Amino acid sequence: SNKSPILPMKPNLFSLPKTAETELGDFEIIPQYNEKENPIHVWRGTPLTKQQWIELLDSNGKVKNPNLVKALIFRGGLAPDIRAEAWKFLLGLYPWDSTYSTRQKILAEKRVEYNSYMSQWKSITHVQEERFHEFRDKKHRIEKDVLRTDRTHPLFEHDSSDPNSGLNLLRRILLSYSFYNFDLDIFKG
């Protein structure tokens, strides 16, 4: 039959879903879909490259068009060599209108803050830890989680006796985060 597909080949990502108003509230209308009759063809762009990233910044390092950057990343992802910088924008560490110098200041402040949290848990003596059950329990759960980390990943395949191994980096990050937000019980062991 010549039925048009329910989902277009390249869906308009910026259109709002259809909704229905009922006594119970507004609900999104999800059309009935038969994948055998209308297979989904996902369109994916190419990853944003380092050269494209550089072209999307002005001479001071500000992102010229944040919405375009977000759309390009959503559709194609990021090339590995720009992920470390781009994710800082995506996660809200860097404001989209920040300059190179502003970002350097932000990183310096965050390093000081991280070192402050790390020094807090590192300064706890063994005797203090014995009396501080909340920290002791969190540390134990973190240790269990770190030891269960996937050792086939290149970052975590080396022995944890190396102080700079990925496992020890992960341990330090998790312990420091536990002091950043001590009440948050994300560690489920």
Side-chain angles (χ1 to χ4, degrees):
S1 73
N2 281 340
K3 286 197 260 179
S4 63
I6 294 173
L7 296 178
M9 295 292 277
K10 293 182 183 178
N12 180 354
L13 299 174
F14 304 105
S15 64
L16 296 174
K18 294 179 182 173
T19 59
E21 294 179 27
T22 70
E23 292 176 17
L24 298 174
D26 294 348
F27 292 90
E28 181 180 347
I29 299 174
I30 300 174
Q32 188 174 14
Y33 183 75
N34 183 329
E35 190 173 348
K36 288 181 181 176
E37 289 181 24
N38 302 301
I40 297 174
H41 299 284
V42 177
W43 178 82
R44 181 143 173 94
T46 58
L48 186 66
T49 65
K50 178 126 184 146
Q51 183 59 40
Q52 290 169 318
W53 177 257
I54 291 168
E55 291 170 7
L56 291 164
L57 303 176
D58 71 14
S59 60
N60 294 319
K62 286 185 180 181
V63 176
K64 295 181 214 175
N65 186 339
N67 289 331
L68 173 62
V69 171
K70 292 175 199 175
L72 291 170
I73 294 170
F74 178 80
R75 277 310 239 153
L78 293 162
D81 58 346
I82 62 167
R83 288 180 185 159
E85 177 152 357
W87 271 107
K88 290 174 181 132
F89 286 92
L90 295 169
L91 294 173
L93 175 63
Y94 294 156
W96 288 97
D97 62 350
S98 62
T99 62
Y100 292 123
S101 62
T102 302
R103 293 194 292 273
Q104 286 177 335
K105 289 176 188 171
I106 290 169
L107 273 184
E109 290 168 3
K110 289 298 180 184
R111 281 190 186 101
V112 168
E113 184 180 357
Y114 174 78
N115 287 327
S116 171
Y117 293 123
M118 189 165 60
S119 69
Q120 289 176 42
W121 64 262
K122 281 188 162 190
S123 69
I124 295 174
T125 66
H126 184 66
V127 173
Q128 288 174 312
E129 188 175 325
E130 286 177 6
R131 294 187 207 135
F132 191 1
H133 81 275
E134 289 177 352
F135 173 68
R136 188 179 59 244
D137 292 347
K138 281 186 190 243
K139 185 177 176 185
H140 176 71
R141 287 193 299 267
I142 289 169
E143 185 61 33
K144 282 174 48 180
D145 286 343
V146 167
L147 291 174
R148 290 190 302 220
T149 301
D150 181 6
R151 301 298 176 88
T152 62
H153 189 284
L155 184 60
F156 303 115
E157 64 189 7
H158 299 293
D159 187 348
S160 63
S161 64
D162 174 4
N164 291 316
S165 73
L167 292 172
N168 281 319
L169 293 172
L170 178 60
R171 182 180 292 108
R172 286 195 301 265
I173 290 168
L174 293 174
L175 282 166
S176 298
Y177 186 78
S178 76
F179 269 74
Y180 165 73
N181 194 348
F182 202 82
D183 291 335
L184 183 65
D185 193 14
I186 62 167
F187 307 107
K188 296 296 180 189

